[in-house]
Amino acid sequence: MIMLYRISILRFMWGANSEYSKRFDENYNSIYVGESSLSSSTSYQNSLSLGLRYDLFKFGADYYHAKSAKTHIYTTTFQKCANEIEMSLNLLENYYKALNLKNKISTNEELKEIYATQYATRLNEVGESDKISISEYKIQLSELKTQIQSLKEEAKFTLNNIYQITAVAIDDLKFLSEFNTEEISKNLIFLDFEDTYISQKLQAELRENELMLKSLQKAYYPTISLYAKYDFYGSDRDDYRQSLDNTERHGYRVGVSFNWEIFDGGRRKANIDKQTARNQMLEFQKQDEKLKYEKQIKDISVFLENEKDMRENLNELYSDTTKAKNYIARLNESGEKSKIELLNSLIKTIQKQQDLSEHILESKFMLLKGHFIANQNGICVK
């Protein structure tokens, strides 16, 4: 059972008006109070009034309200651009994730082949490993298969996210192209936060709300209005139907009114408090967005500054493990190293190669991300 409650607010208004009027016919007596008329006789009566009211002066309430509405256009424009930048970065993030998953799946598939075909079976056949070691390899192989399945499932979710953003369906990771950053400069010049779309949106929204707050504050002031009415009137002392047919008498009124709402049950104060709280929230949001933006560009700058050294270190590690693997392979051929040792060296080489590939991919992603952020003013068409 749904209970509906209606809340009534007590209001007290003070008003005054001055008018000129020509009322009905000369033989009809009536009393006017403000803009309303009271009949001085008892009869069946019908009336039709056409009215026009124009607020001459509201102490700026309508002016600030109109300015706030106009500023809202700028707010929505900057919001559109901020959304486009966020969507572009979200797409880039998901595309990077998909490429990274593609590389991880490829590496794990390669490791699976090593465990499954090249070593585990042969070690058992030649008797170089006991059954316990073979069981360990089988467990590692099962774990690797589970990991591959989990990565493929995650890849499907990521491709679904890309579809949600672009409406482009990608059925398989193999259709993804690698990042191309050859024509992108690493010397990125980032915008000040005040020049970003998110800052301009928040600033416009703050201005919009400040104007609305002024409009609400002006509601405490009176309203001076010009009004005009044209009345049609009919009456009959004894018959209601006759009063309808006699709606022929007419008159007009033109006047100026002064209305001041002295008490409204706290409605205006509540609206002002709500608007003030909204402005404070926007100020906090602006500070939070500024800190997030500054951290974001610092993270990108630090990564790109150290990218070359990190790549050289990872490349050196991969080169050393490759040399060690080749050396162990030669010793294995001469019988000085076991196939177990060769297996471990090969796995380590593949892992170091994966580390290097992930770093190269991440460096391209960070460069593209930095490029988007630094050049956001040229991405959105306002």
Side-chain angles (χ1 to χ4, degrees), residues 77-185:
T77 300
F78 289 129
Q79 179 67 68
K80 167 184 171 292
C81 290
N83 289 344
E84 287 184 8
I85 297 300
E86 184 179 359
M87 185 172 64
S88 298
L89 292 174
N90 190 20
L91 174 61
L92 180 65
E93 185 88 31
N94 279 279
Y95 198 91
Y96 160 68
K97 185 178 180 180
L99 286 177
N100 198 26
L101 288 168
K102 176 183 176 182
N103 294 338
K104 285 183 177 180
I105 291 172
S106 176
T107 298
N108 287 334
E109 290 284 5
E110 187 176 357
L111 289 173
K112 186 184 75 172
E113 289 297 322
I114 293 173
Y115 279 114
T117 60
Q118 296 184 21
Y119 288 96
T121 303
R122 293 182 185 178
L123 289 173
N124 187 33
E125 290 175 351
V126 299
E128 291 190 20
S129 179
D130 55 29
K131 291 184 178 180
I132 295 178
S133 298
I134 295 300
S135 297
E136 291 177 354
Y137 277 109
K138 286 183 178 180
I139 292 173
Q140 291 175 354
L141 178 61
S142 297
E143 291 176 346
L144 200 56
K145 288 179 179 179
T146 302
Q147 186 177 0
I148 291 172
Q149 188 62 35
S150 177
L151 290 171
K152 287 182 177 180
E153 184 177 350
E154 188 177 357
K156 289 181 180 179
F157 291 139
T158 305
L159 293 179
N160 288 341
N161 290 337
I162 294 175
Y163 174 75
Q164 182 182 3
I165 299 171
T166 64
V168 176
I170 303 175
D171 298 327
D172 197 284
L173 293 173
K174 65 181 180 181
F175 297 114
L176 297 177
S177 301
E178 296 294 324
F179 287 139
N180 183 4
T181 58
E182 294 180 0
E183 298 181 0
I184 298 179
S185 173

Side-chain angles (χ1 to χ4, degrees), residues 12 14 29 33 48 52 159 164 196 200 225 247 259 277 279 287 303 310 315 329:
F12 178 74
W14 182 82
N29 296 321
V33 177
L48 173 65
L52 177 65
L159 293 179
Q164 182 182 3
T196 62
Q200 293 179 73
S225 306
T247 309
N259 294 285
N279 288 353
Q287 289 300 319
F303 181 90
M310 181 64 71
N315 193 48

Side-chain angles (χ1 to χ4, degrees), residues 68 205-206 208-214 216 269-282:
S68 176
E205 192 171 359
L206 270 169
E208 174 189 342
N209 281 273
E210 287 170 358
L211 290 168
M212 181 58 68
L213 180 59
K214 287 184 178 181
L216 292 171
K269 184 179 184 303
N271 288 335
I272 289 173
D273 290 344
K274 178 181 177 182
Q275 200 66 44
T276 302
R278 173 64 178 165
N279 288 353
Q280 292 174 348
M281 186 187 71
L282 287 173

